[in-house]
Amino acid sequence: MRLGLIAGNGRFPFLVLDAARGAGHDVTVIALKEETFPEIVDAAARPPAAAVHWISLGQLGTCIDLLKDAGVTRAVMAGQVKHAKIFDIKPDKTLLGVLTRLPSKNTDGIIGGIADALRDQGIELLDSTTFLAPLMARAGVLTRRGPSDDERADLECAYRIADAVAGLDLGQTVVVKSAAVVAVEAMEGTDAVIARAGRLAGAGARVIKVAKPNQDMRFDVPVIGVSTIEAMKAAGATALSVDAGKTLMIDGNAVIKAADEAGICIVGRSERRG
């Protein structure tokens, strides 16, 4: 079975590539010139080699043609495309047709429209974590230390707000301190909103990253990595909550190690509260 991998930035696409090949899939990689790390070429060249095709953001028709020519009937989207890139996209005829039908050009709307266009051409978009189940965050305390009473109170205070923000498809991260919302993520990304919170409130903030209430696991799945912990350490943030079973931890053991060394606790929220 030939699998299509539509790769954004970060290490997520590399993990999917290796895991899919390890599961016996032939892989065709569609790499985005503006986003995908160039090292994907070297990674794809390792046996069994995967073909890599470079396209620009907006070339949806070319993407579909390349996947169909390769005999792809199933594909995975992996890696981030910075949300602000929406203002730089030069859509081809296929993507323009998708965009003109959308009532709102938020993340879910745009990528959902692209998924529909792929499906119409006989290409099923799989959950982006299909091959990475071991890297999904577990429930409970994930680090050596659990949250203090103050940290736990801040996390509990922030869940309702974070869920509401995610439900509006604005962002997935909220930073709080002493029961006050310090920063809410929009298009800038997790690390940037953590840095902004550090500038505003100083040390002692808590970071809450959530999945959307009806998270479509095919795209825009919450992801944390060592860079998340580094951003928290630089900002003086002390606790991180993620949604268990919905959040991908890139290099999970390294994330936990970095958090332990920084004195940061990580917890996996097991269920959404009403």
Side-chain angles (χ1 to χ4, degrees):
M1 178 71 69
R2 181 161 290 276
L3 179 79
L5 169 58
I6 303 171
N9 67 26
R11 293 202 59 247
F12 193 175
F14 295 80
L15 297 174
V16 173
L17 174 62
D18 289 341
R21 290 190 297 192
H25 293 273
D26 295 323
V27 182
T28 294
V29 179
I30 306 297
L32 303 177
K33 294 176 183 178
E34 299 84 356
E35 295 286 353
T36 312
F37 289 176
E39 293 82 2
I40 197 75
V41 174
D42 294 333
R46 295 195 296 265
V52 179
H53 303 279
W54 291 91
I55 66 172
S56 288
L57 283 170
Q59 292 184 293
L60 178 58
T62 301
C63 175
I64 290 173
D65 288 343
L66 288 168
L67 293 175
K68 291 177 69 174
D69 288 346
V72 168
T73 57
R74 299 193 301 167
V76 173
M77 287 184 177
Q80 184 188 44
V81 173
K82 297 181 182 67
H83 294 188
K85 287 292 178 69
I86 185 177
F87 303 114
D88 301 323
I89 291 176
K90 296 180 180 178
D92 63 9
K93 182 178 179 180
T94 304
L95 182 57
L96 187 60
V98 170
L99 295 176
T100 55
R101 292 191 296 269
L102 297 178
S104 174
K105 293 180 177 60
N106 56 13
T107 303
D108 277 1
I110 292 174
I111 306 181
I114 291 171
D116 290 343
L118 290 169
R119 184 197 60 216
D120 291 344
Q121 294 297 320
I123 301 169
E124 176 191 3
L125 196 61
L126 304 179
D127 287 357
S128 59
T129 59
T130 295
F131 302 100
L132 302 177
L135 297 181
M136 301 304 289
R138 296 177 290 102
V141 177
L142 306 181
T143 43
R144 278 201 298 259
R145 79 167 183 89
S148 66
D149 290 344
D150 287 345
E151 289 169 335
R152 191 178 298 278
D154 271 349
L155 297 180
E156 292 291 342
C157 171
Y159 285 138
R160 177 180 57 83
I161 298 163
D163 288 341
V165 170
L168 293 171
D169 197 18
L170 296 177
Q172 299 170 319
T173 306
V174 169
V175 184
V176 299
K177 180 179 178 180
S178 302
V181 176
V182 178
V184 175
E185 181 186 15
M187 286 189 172
E188 72 270 47
T190 302
D191 293 355
V193 78
I194 292 170
R196 177 158 56 89
R199 293 192 297 270
L200 289 170
R206 338 295 186 186
V207 178
I208 297 86
K209 190 173 183 71
V210 302
K212 296 167 189 173
N214 296 303
Q215 179 70 50
D216 190 328
M217 296 300 288
R218 297 177 299 172
F219 47 78
D220 205 28
V221 174
V223 178
I224 65 167
V226 173
S227 68
T228 312
I229 304 304
E230 291 173 344
M232 291 181 63
K233 181 179 178 181
T238 65
L240 170 64
S241 174
V242 297
D243 280 0
K246 299 285 187 180
T247 305
L248 181 66
M249 296 178 63
I250 302 291
D251 296 325
N253 291 336
V255 172
I256 300 302
K257 181 175 184 292
D260 283 337
E261 291 175 350
I264 293 169
C265 74
I266 305 176
V267 296
R269 181 174 63 153
S270 59
E271 61 183 25
R272 192 178 302 278
R273 293 159 173 79

